[in-house]
Amino acid sequence: MHQPGGNWITALLPFVIIAVVLALRFRSMSKERPLKVQTLWVVPAIYVLLAGSMLLTLPPPPVGWGLVALGTAIGAAIGWHRGKLIRIHRDEQTGELRQKASPIAVMLLAALVVLKLGARAIFGETAAGHPGSGALLLTDAFIGFALGLLSATRLELYVRAQRVLAAE
């Protein structure tokens, strides 16, 4: 049986993109960035809308909803820890809050993407079309995981930023 020559490129391309994005992200992590407390809610709000639309478009079976909840809880625990790894301080000259991400925080997100790509390799592309398939159930769990991760990270940053502001 003859396989098309492009299959290895298709399989490798997502990993190359991840490597490039991570390299750029690690390079920018050495720089501090402003922390805008008033906009920390934006990313979780957008993801709630995105996750909600995905779950309403193709509703999971009851076990899928359980996996969404479990993924959200695990994501929240990891997101809280990820938020703790991000350094926050107040610039003495300007008075603005500054943040500096931890390389570990970015590696957690990279691991999530790699797991998602690995799930596609394990379950196959066609599994996504069958409700209740292992691929869709895993995707449901990842949707919850990402929601918990993003929300808890931002909540932790908000709580810590408020402490820094109150301390001065």
Side-chain angles (χ1 to χ4, degrees), residues 25-114:
R25 184 68 179 122
F26 276 121
R27 197 173 80 184
S28 71
M29 286 175 60
S30 63
K31 301 174 188 164
E32 288 185 345
R33 298 179 305 155
L35 175 61
K36 304 290 184 195
V37 178
Q38 63 273 20
T39 60
L40 286 173
W41 64 272
V42 173
V43 170
I46 290 170
Y47 195 74
V48 162
L49 294 174
L50 182 64
S53 71
M54 287 189 287
L55 293 170
L56 290 175
T57 301
L58 190 57
V63 71
W65 287 110
L67 290 172
V68 170
L70 179 64
T72 303
I74 292 170
I78 293 173
W80 172 80
H81 185 68
R82 178 178 177 252
K84 287 255 183 223
L85 295 173
I86 297 172
R87 291 189 324 186
I88 299 174
H89 73 89
R90 190 173 205 162
D91 187 290
E92 292 178 17
Q93 294 169 353
T94 64
E96 78 175 356
L97 290 175
R98 309 286 293 171
Q99 67 178 334
K100 186 174 180 182
S102 162
I104 295 172
V106 174
M107 286 191 275
L108 285 173
L109 290 177
L112 174 64
V113 172
V114 169

Side-chain angles (χ1 to χ4, degrees), residues 3 9 46 67 77 105 117 129 131 136 161:
Q3 273 190 321
I9 293 173
I46 290 170
L67 290 172
L117 292 173
L136 281 182

